[in-house]
Amino acid sequence: MNDQGASPVRWWPGLTASRDPAIRQLLDEAQIVELPANSPVFHSGSSCDNFLLLIEGAVRVFLTSSTGREVTLYRIGGGDSCILTTSCLIGNEPYPAQAVTEAPVRALAISRARFDRTMDASPEFRRFVFDGFSHRLADMIQRIDTVTFAPIDQQLAEALLRDHEAGRATTATHQELAFELGTAREVVSRHLKRFETDGLIELGRGKIGVRDPGKLAAIRDSASG
């Protein structure tokens, strides 16, 4: 494995310390790939050629409708694998969605051929792959449930609080928030203006600050919306 300064051990100590010969060979052949921010990772309809394990960075996986509207399915961060990549490799199917880097990415790339051989030869690797798959599948189902059934004000409050609790103002544009929530920019703008009028947030140039996190949390957690 050509690590180029990366540290896969940080995320997958069990895998990197394994004595399984099939896993050792897989790691020896694996390559570190790097992508800058705002780079495509895969497109809808493209073939899946590598199993990727993200070491650092952020990737957004999304669907685009025939009218150009986007909805975010999930995000991948350090230590994650992509559920669609796993599914497409196992099922030998093309990608049904798109992905783009949101921050510079460093990932461990395992070729399709080596992935298939190791899945056949190593129960330990199969457990590793399917454990990651089941975890990401549960996250995606929860995400789809939120986008499908939760009112927009709850979803928007959650997005704003996620940044606030991480110690930063929201810098996403109204259009980017609309993509995140699977709605129209005008809907997001209308709800943000109402939040501002109610004293919950402050809309500034290029950022959205939270003024009343308690009330936003009440909206986020409201069963009725």
Side-chain angles (χ1 to χ4, degrees), residues 38-93:
N38 302 313
S39 298
V41 180
F42 53 78
H43 299 283
S44 179
S46 62
S47 63
C48 182
D49 299 322
N50 294 281
F51 180 63
L52 297 177
L53 296 170
L54 206 67
I55 299 169
E56 59 188 15
V59 174
R60 183 172 73 98
V61 181
F62 61 97
L63 287 171
T64 304
S65 73
S66 58
T67 61
R69 284 182 57 182
E70 295 181 7
V71 59
T72 299
L73 295 176
Y74 56 91
R75 283 183 164 83
I76 309 167
D80 291 334
S81 58
C82 174
I83 184 174
L84 288 184
T85 295
T86 304
S87 175
C88 291
L89 283 170
I90 293 172
N92 195 26
E93 296 286 343

Side-chain angles (χ1 to χ4, degrees), residues 20-41:
D20 185 327
I23 293 178
R24 298 313 310 169
Q25 187 169 3
L26 176 144
L27 293 174
D28 286 343
E29 294 182 7
Q31 296 292 317
I32 299 294
V33 296
E34 296 181 340
L35 291 172
N38 302 313
S39 298
V41 180

Side-chain angles (χ1 to χ4, degrees), residues 91-143:
N92 195 26
E93 296 286 343
Y95 281 108
Q98 303 177 66
V100 64
T101 60
E102 293 187 312
V105 158
R106 186 188 297 267
L108 190 66
I110 298 160
S111 71
R112 171 194 284 272
R114 176 51 59 189
F115 175 86
D116 288 342
R117 287 195 290 269
T118 311
M119 286 287 283
D120 289 340
S122 173
E124 183 180 349
F125 184 67
R126 285 198 298 274
R127 285 194 300 271
F128 172 80
V129 170
F130 286 120
D131 283 350
F133 183 86
S134 62
H135 173 72
R136 296 302 304 174
L137 180 61
D139 287 347
M140 188 170 73
I141 290 173
Q142 182 178 18
R143 168 66 185 161

Side-chain angles (χ1 to χ4, degrees), residues 165-217:
E165 290 165 359
R168 59 179 181 264
T170 296
T171 57
T173 66
H174 292 198
Q175 184 62 71
E176 289 168 340
L177 285 169
F179 287 156
E180 173 75 13
L181 305 182
T183 189
R185 180 186 61 79
E186 294 78 10
V187 174
V188 168
S189 297
R190 184 167 64 249
H191 280 79
L192 287 174
K193 188 62 179 177
R194 179 166 62 82
F195 282 178
E196 183 181 44
T197 299
D198 293 343
L200 308 183
I201 63 171
E202 182 177 2
L203 298 175
R205 184 180 296 274
K207 66 179 182 180
I208 305 168
V210 172
R211 297 181 61 187
D212 195 329
K215 288 184 179 179
L216 272 183

